[in-house]
Amino acid sequence: MPTALRQIAAIIRKDILLELRTRESTTAMVVFAVMAIVMFNFALRLRVDTFRPLTPGVLWVTLVFAGTLGLSRSMSSEQINQCMDGLLLAPCDRSVIFAGKAIANVIFTLAVALLVTPIMAILFDETLMQPGVWLVVLLGVIGYAGAGTLIATMAASTRAREVFLPILLFPLALPLLVAAVIATSGFLDRLPLGEFAAWIGVELAFIVIFWTAGTLLFEYLAEG
Amino acid sequence: MTALLYAANIGKRYGLRPVLHGVSLDVSRGEFVAILGANGAGKTTLLRILATLTRPNSGALTIGGIDALAHPDRARACIGLVSHQSLIYPDLTARENLEFYGRMYGAANWRLEMRDSSAQSAISNLPIRNLSSRIEEALRRVNLWQRRDDPARTFSRGMIQRLAIARAILHDPPLLLLDEPFTGLDQASAANLSALLRDAALGDRAVVMTTHELSRSLDGVTRALVLQGGRIVREVHDGITAQSLTALMSHA
C-alpha cells in the first residue's frame, strides 16, 4: 500500500477507535437526528396531508444539522492536548491529514444517515429506501464532510468554534443542499433521470471543489 | 562536523509584531542545547519553527541536510517533539497512542537527500518493521509498560509526560526538541523526567530544549543560549549552572 494511503488509514482507524471508545459524536448525531425527525413529523402533520413534497427537505436539513455536530466534535478532539500538533509533526503531506479526517467524517455521517433514513421512510415516505436516494445521500455526505472538515479546521483555532462552524459552513453548503434536495425529489417522484441529472452533477462538482480546496488549503488553516 | 540542525537568520512576525529577529543556531549530534529566556522572549515560537510547525517569515532552516522550509514533510522524519502539551489522545490507551503515531511515522520512507551520512543511516531505519516491539521498548524505557492498556486519561501529569517522551522517541529521531517539558510537574516527577531526557539524549542525538525553569532542567546541557526580545543575546559553553545562568539572564 502506498505510504500516503497507510497514513490516511492510520488516521481513520484512530478516529474510529476514539469514537468507539467515547461514542460522543455518533450518539449526539443520532439522538439529534431522531429528535428532529420526530418533531418534524408532529409539526408537519398538523398542516399537510401528504409528506412526500417535504420529505427531501426534512431529510437533508436533518442530515446537515446532525453532520455539523459530528464535524465540530471531530476537530475539537484534536485540540485536546494539542493533538493536532502531533498530526502536523508526522512526516507526510498535510493533504494526507485532511483526507484522513474528512474520510472519517464521511464514515460517521454516513452511519447516521444509514440509521436515520429508514426511520424517515417509516414516518414520512416508504419510497425513500431506493438505490437512487442512497446515491444522492452518499454524494451529499461526501461533499458535506469535505467542506465541513475544511471549515471545522479553520474554526478549531478560534474561541467560538461551536458558533463559527455552522455560520461559515451553512452558506457554503447551500448549493449542495439544494442539489441534494432536488435530486432526492426526482427519485421520489420517479422523474426521468435526465430531468434532474444535472443536480447530481452539482453534487459531484461540489465534492471536487471542496476536496481539492481541502487538500490545498489544509496546511495553512491547520497552522493557524 | 556537519550540523544536524542549521537555522540562519530566522525572523518571525505575528501581524505587525516581530517575535524573532534574525535568530541563527546550529546544533550538532551529541549536543544538548538549552534556550533560556523569560516568558514572551520567543522561545516557543523558535521551537515551533525548528519543529516545522510554524513557518518563519525569513531565514533558512536545514535539518539533517534537508531544506526544512522547502521539504518540511521529509525533515519531520528527523524530529521528535516533547512539549508542555502532551500531544496524547486521552481516550486511547498508552499502547494505542503509540500505535497510531508509529503508523504515521513508520510509513515514512523518504528518498533521502542528506549530506550527513550518519543522519541518513538513522533515518533509513525509520520504516518500523516491528511496531509492537518498538512500542514495548519505548514503554519499558519510560516505565509505563505495566500501564500499557490503560487509557491515558487515567495517568498522572508525570506519567503523561513520560508517555509523551515515548511518543517522541518512538521513531528514533536524530533531533529531539523539548518545549518547557517540566511545566506542571512536581519535584519527583521532574527529577524522573530529567533522568529520562538525559537518557534519551545519550548517544549521538541532538537535543534542543527551551525552558525558563533553570533549577530543574539543566542536567546534561552542553550549551546554553539566552533569548531576549526575539534575539540570542548570550551563549554559554562552560560552567553551566542554574546560579550562573540566573545571573546571566538578570544582566541580559
Side-chain angles (χ1 to χ4, degrees), chain B residues 175-189:
Chain B
L175 174 64
L176 191 57
L177 301 174
L178 313 172
D179 182 18
E180 306 274 8
F182 296 93
T183 302
L185 294 182
D186 60 30
Q187 204 67 35
S189 300

Side-chain angles (χ1 to χ4, degrees), chain A residues 7-222:
Chain A
Q7 289 169 320
I8 290 170
I11 295 170
I12 296 169
R13 182 181 182 277
K14 182 265 296 175
D15 275 5
I16 291 174
L17 202 57
L18 275 175
E19 184 53 32
L20 290 174
R21 197 66 44 82
T22 63
R23 299 182 198 279
E24 285 180 4
S25 288
T26 44
T27 303
M29 291 162 81
V30 167
V31 169
F32 175 86
V34 171
M35 297 280 281
I37 290 168
V38 171
M39 288 178 76
F40 272 125
N41 183 261
F42 284 118
L44 298 174
R45 195 174 286 277
L46 299 174
R47 288 188 175 272
V48 295
D49 297 328
T50 173
F51 286 138
R52 176 161 292 181
L54 302 172
T55 303
V58 172
L59 173 69
W60 280 103
V61 167
T62 303
L63 286 181
V64 161
F65 283 179
T68 307
L69 290 177
L71 290 167
S72 177
R73 172 65 197 156
S74 162
M75 275 303 162
S76 63
S77 71
E78 302 295 350
Q79 302 302 314
I80 300 168
N81 295 337
Q82 282 184 5
C83 287
M84 180 56 89
D85 278 354
L87 280 180
L88 296 176
L89 276 168
C92 62
D93 194 271
R94 304 295 205 220
S95 58
V96 165
I97 301 171
F98 170 78
K101 294 297 293 179
I103 292 171
N105 286 330
V106 168
I107 292 169
F108 296 140
T109 314
L110 214 51
V112 174
L114 284 171
L115 204 76
V116 162
T117 309
I119 296 174
M120 277 210 65
I122 295 166
L123 291 177
F124 283 72
D125 187 341
E126 70 281 1
T127 59
L128 260 179
M129 304 295 283
Q130 56 172 294
V133 171
W134 284 114
L135 173 70
V136 175
V137 167
L138 177 66
L139 295 178
V141 166
I142 292 173
Y144 192 69
T149 304
L150 187 65
I151 302 300
T153 306
M154 194 183 343
S157 56
T158 65
R159 265 184 289 180
R161 67 179 74 99
E162 310 289 341
V163 178
F164 270 120
L165 176 61
I167 287 176
L168 296 174
L169 180 58
F170 290 165
L172 276 179
L174 207 55
L176 179 75
L177 187 66
V178 170
V181 167
I182 294 176
T184 306
S185 298
F187 281 112
L188 292 184
D189 294 340
R190 303 196 186 285
L191 298 176
L193 186 61
E195 285 190 27
F196 61 91
W199 293 103
I200 296 176
V202 171
E203 279 192 300
L204 286 168
F206 191 94
I207 291 170
V208 171
I209 290 168
F210 277 95
W211 281 70
T212 305
T215 55
L216 295 176
L217 298 177
F218 187 81
E219 174 167 14
Y220 303 99
L221 298 177

Side-chain angles (χ1 to χ4, degrees), chain A residues 3-4 6-8 10-11 13-15 17-18 21-22 24 73 77-94 96-97 219-220 223, chain B residues 48 51-55 72-74 76-77 79 81 83-93 96 99-101 103-110 153 160 167:
Chain A
T3 301
R6 276 186 292 184
Q7 289 169 320
I8 290 170
I11 295 170
R13 182 181 182 277
K14 182 265 296 175
D15 275 5
L17 202 57
L18 275 175
R21 197 66 44 82
T22 63
E24 285 180 4
R73 172 65 197 156
S77 71
E78 302 295 350
Q79 302 302 314
I80 300 168
N81 295 337
Q82 282 184 5
C83 287
M84 180 56 89
D85 278 354
L87 280 180
L88 296 176
L89 276 168
C92 62
D93 194 271
R94 304 295 205 220
V96 165
I97 301 171
E219 174 167 14
Y220 303 99
E223 288 179 9
Chain B
R48 287 184 67 83
T52 74
L53 288 172
T54 300
R55 288 185 75 83
D73 47 351
R74 295 180 195 172
R76 285 182 200 118
I79 300 168
L81 173 71
S83 160
H84 50 278
Q85 293 284 353
S86 63
L87 322 187
I88 293 293
Y89 293 92
D91 290 308
L92 297 184
T93 66
E96 287 166 346
E99 275 173 357
F100 168 62
Y101 283 112
R103 287 194 173 98
M104 294 302 289
Y105 281 91
N109 191 9
W110 309 105
R153 68 182 142 74
I160 285 282
R167 175 192 52 72

Side-chain angles (χ1 to χ4, degrees), chain B residues 4 29 63-67 74-75 78 111-124 174:
Chain B
L4 183 72
R29 288 174 164 275
I63 299 171
I66 300 168
D67 182 342
R74 295 180 195 172
C78 308
R111 281 173 303 197
L112 298 166
E113 297 173 348
M114 297 201 305
R115 294 187 294 273
D116 180 351
S117 60
S118 55
Q120 182 163 359
S121 67
I123 294 167
S124 297

